[in-house]
Structure formats: structure tokens, C-alpha cells
Amino acid sequence: QVQLVESGGGLVQAGGSLRVSCAASGSIFSISAMGWYRQAPGKQRELVAAISSGGGTNYADSVKGRFTISRDNAENTMHLQMNSLKPEDTAIYYCSAKIRRLGVPGYRDYWGQGTQVTVSS
């Protein structure tokens, strides 16, 4: 089995910072792309940032220059540093990863349970 567990969400005032993390565990052979998504009430889930196994990144236009995604391949972890937070960043943040399990061919998508980020004005 494979698990993704997010941590680090919380309540912060506008202009503040938060760092959310995601840890992958279980029978993992390798991890390719990883990413952070978010879903605000009444809205569709959207991609916030993604990072390849080689460290290449891409960001949603709404977070460029404010958020930074990173990963530690040795630890199977991923982080999202969020600065200059705005009320519109309020959402549940989910991590996702394409993981190949030990003894199982091919990659499939796994999701964490989500962590709430609330930005007050």
C-alpha cells in the first residue's frame, strides 16, 4: 500500500506565510511527478504547482512569485512554501504523486487526504 499524508495547514492572516508538506510512504519503487492541488468551497479542484522528479517546476498564474514547490527524493517528501498569502488562497490543499509500487508495473496517481489552509483578511 501507498499513503500520502499532508501536514502544515492552518489559519494565517493575509500577507502571512505557511508551509505545507506531503510525505509518501509504503511499498514505493519510484515517484515521478508530484503536485499540489487545491479546492475552495463551491469550486473545482485546481493545480497549484507541480514538480518533476528532476526538479522542473510549473505554477498556476495565480501563485507565481508567491509559492515555491520543492521535493526531497531521498525522503519521498514534497513541500509548498506559501508567502504573501491572500484570502483567495483559502482552500483544502491536496498533494498528488505518480507512484510506481514495488513489484507492480507502471505508475498510478495517489492522493492525500488534504489539509485546510485558511487566510483571513
Side-chain angles (χ1 to χ4, degrees), residues 54-107:
T57 60
N58 66 280
Y59 297 90
D61 287 343
S62 59
V63 307
K64 280 180 181 176
R66 300 188 297 123
F67 291 11
T68 302
I69 189 171
S70 61
R71 65 188 283 176
D72 184 330
N73 292 333
E75 298 290 331
N76 288 339
T77 56
M78 175 178 63
H79 310 283
L80 185 68
Q81 178 66 42
M82 302 181 288
N83 298 328
S84 302
L85 282 160
K86 304 175 181 180
E88 51 263 44
D89 294 318
T90 295
I92 298 174
Y93 283 69
Y94 299 90
C95 72
S96 179
K98 294 187 182 295
I99 297 175
R100 181 178 172 184
R101 291 175 56 192
L102 288 167
V104 179
Y107 288 84

Side-chain angles (χ1 to χ4, degrees), residues 11-24:
L11 173 64
V12 65
Q13 287 189 329
S17 297
L18 274 178
R19 177 180 163 97
V20 290
S21 297
C22 174

Side-chain angles (χ1 to χ4, degrees), residues 46-57:
E46 63 174 355
L47 176 67
V48 175
I51 185 166
S52 69
S53 57
T57 60

Side-chain angles (χ1 to χ4, degrees), residues 1-3 25-32 98-110:
Q1 288 286 24
V2 170
Q3 277 191 318
S25 62
S27 56
I28 296 170
F29 178 76
S30 67
I31 303 176
S32 62
K98 294 187 182 295
I99 297 175
R100 181 178 172 184
R101 291 175 56 192
L102 288 167
V104 179
Y107 288 84
R108 59 156 285 191
D109 292 331
Y110 289 85

